[in-house]
Amino acid sequence: MLSHQHEIFLEVARVLSFTKASQLLYISQSAISKQIKALEEFYKTGLFERHGNTISLTPAGQLLYNKLLIAKQLQQELYQEFKAANEQFSPQLRMTIGASTTISLYILPPVLSAYLQKNPNVQLTLKNRNSQNILKALLDHEIDLGIVEGVNKVSNVTYTPVLTDEVIAVCSSKNPYIKHRLELKDLYNTPLALREQGSGTLAVLEDALDKKQVKLTDLPIKIRLGGTEALKNFVRVDTCLSFLPRQAVTKELQTGELVEVKIQDLTVIRTFNFIQRKGTENNLPYKDFIQFTKRQYSK
């Protein structure tokens, strides 16, 4: 099992910040500095270069970081094998999941609650970012599993489909300017409010429009907002048309605050995928969580 000092070093090396590591680990910055100093004294070498307000790994620090990543993976495999041999073996396990906004806000919470009830020795952390940043977090070892819209062609990442969702056009029910049924050509004269670049919702919309020979850049985009909730709250009080996941606007459609706008010949369906770094597919906690989530949404 990795020592507490090595776990702290891993986090500091990953984020390259004593302050960020302190916030993520809920440990004071002075305590983190003390543990890193103790490690440097143990290894008789510096592990970090200090550059004013920033730090970087020394060659020795980079070597230790790479080896500890391998050790952490071996530790997880060891736990997996012991668990298979003896069901009573149940150490405290930590798993960090990264998910895009729609998944984090509207889909995962009940899954996480049900999973933790069955797996009380697992400590979960959920990080909410757009799909582009979730992929980066996975590759940077910041998260263990990610859930994103669509598939990026990244050779060292595996994708496992988990569920599908529809992105629909919506506007305020008080909007006097937009009909509740449009043709594709009407989009050229309809003010739009859309998600920011890097959003999976935006990417799947852009792809669907491309297939209909409609370029998103040719449409009158009035505003881009970061996050589903911000976009939803904006369109509720504005005259723009927006595209949002059906899962995210179910309540507003039921209450009548928003109305769905049907667009002839345009259907936007997206697939959510679990993403993992290659080589971790057989890690038992990850496999269990993926299978559990898929079962929850196949009911």
Side-chain angles (χ1 to χ4, degrees), residues 195-212:
R195 283 286 304 274
E196 81 286 2
Q197 290 292 339
S199 156
T201 302
L202 181 70
V204 75
L205 171 63
E206 189 168 14
D207 183 60
L209 289 171
D210 277 344
K211 290 175 181 176
K212 298 295 181 180

Side-chain angles (χ1 to χ4, degrees), residues 230-244:
L231 182 56
K232 181 169 65 173
N233 289 332
F234 176 83
V235 79
R236 280 164 53 188
V237 298
D238 196 76
T239 56
C240 281
L241 179 74
S242 188
F243 288 85
L244 286 161

Side-chain angles (χ1 to χ4, degrees), residues 260-277:
E260 182 176 356
V261 178
K262 297 288 187 181
I263 300 177
Q264 187 176 335
D265 298 327
L266 182 67
T267 302
V268 185
I269 300 292
R270 59 184 178 169
T271 299
F272 289 101
N273 292 280
F274 275 105
I275 56 173
Q276 295 172 262
R277 292 181 297 275

Side-chain angles (χ1 to χ4, degrees), residues 25-291:
L25 294 171
Y26 302 100
I27 302 172
S28 70
Q29 193 168 330
S30 61
I32 284 184
S33 297
K34 183 179 179 181
Q35 296 299 330
I36 295 300
K37 183 179 179 181
L39 269 184
E40 290 180 325
E41 290 176 353
F42 176 79
Y43 287 112
K44 309 298 183 188
T45 186
L47 300 173
F48 293 98
E49 294 279 1
R50 278 75 170 174
H51 315 282
N53 293 327
T54 63
I55 60 172
S56 62
L57 286 165
T58 64
Q62 187 64 57
L63 174 64
L64 180 60
Y65 181 61
N66 293 341
K67 295 297 185 182
L68 287 177
L69 287 177
I70 296 171
K72 199 168 183 70
Q73 177 64 28
L74 288 172
Q75 176 179 287
Q76 291 171 335
E77 291 174 5
L78 179 64
Y79 283 173
Q80 176 180 328
E81 291 176 19
F82 268 105
K83 180 74 174 176
N86 181 2
E87 290 184 0
Q88 293 183 342
F89 178 75
S90 57
Q92 180 77 41
L93 294 175
R94 293 187 180 93
M95 183 161 54
T96 302
I97 302 162
S100 57
T101 304
T102 302
I103 291 288
S104 294
L105 293 181
Y106 311 107
I107 295 174
L108 269 187
V111 175
L112 298 181
S113 176
Y115 182 79
L116 288 173
Q117 288 177 36
K118 291 197 170 188
N119 299 273
N121 286 322
V122 177
Q123 182 181 23
L124 292 175
T125 300
L126 175 62
K127 299 193 174 185
N128 172 17
R129 299 179 185 174
N130 69 32
S131 292
Q132 195 173 68
N133 288 326
I134 289 298
L135 179 60
K136 182 179 185 301
L138 182 78
L139 296 175
D140 289 345
H141 290 259
E142 185 178 344
I143 59 175
D144 302 306
L145 280 175
I147 308 178
V148 298
E149 297 101 318
V151 174
N152 288 284
K153 294 180 179 179
V154 180
S155 60
N156 54 342
V157 172
T158 59
Y159 293 80
T160 305
V162 59
L163 60 95
T164 59
D165 185 27
E166 184 181 11
V167 176
I168 61 173
V170 295
C171 71
S172 169
S173 57
K174 299 176 182 177
N175 191 331
Y177 304 109
I178 299 177
K179 301 174 184 177
H180 293 174
R181 186 170 294 275
L182 299 176
E183 296 182 20
L184 274 171
K185 64 181 181 181
D186 294 325
L187 293 179
Y188 290 100
N189 301 303
T190 303
L192 301 178
L194 301 177
R195 283 286 304 274
E196 81 286 2
Q197 290 292 339
S199 156
T201 302
L202 181 70
V204 75
L205 171 63
E206 189 168 14
D207 183 60
L209 289 171
D210 277 344
K211 290 175 181 176
K212 298 295 181 180
Q213 286 76 53
V214 176
K215 295 293 181 186
L216 193 61
T217 52
D218 293 336
L219 302 183
I221 302 169
K222 297 301 182 183
I223 188 171
R224 292 181 184 270
L225 291 108
T228 299
E229 285 297 306
L231 182 56
K232 181 169 65 173
N233 289 332
F234 176 83
V235 79
R236 280 164 53 188
V237 298
D238 196 76
T239 56
C240 281
L241 179 74
S242 188
F243 288 85
L244 286 161
R246 185 178 292 280
Q247 293 265 9
V249 294
T250 301
K251 180 180 176 182
E252 289 75 14
L253 291 174
Q254 289 173 347
T255 61
E257 292 178 273
L258 295 176
V259 293
E260 182 176 356
V261 178
K262 297 288 187 181
I263 300 177
Q264 187 176 335
D265 298 327
L266 182 67
T267 302
V268 185
I269 300 292
R270 59 184 178 169
T271 299
F272 289 101
N273 292 280
F274 275 105
I275 56 173
Q276 295 172 262
R277 292 181 297 275
K278 281 193 176 173
T280 67
E281 297 92 340
N282 292 320
N283 184 295
L284 188 58
Y286 306 164
K287 285 178 69 175
D288 282 349
F289 183 77
I290 291 172
Q291 290 168 3

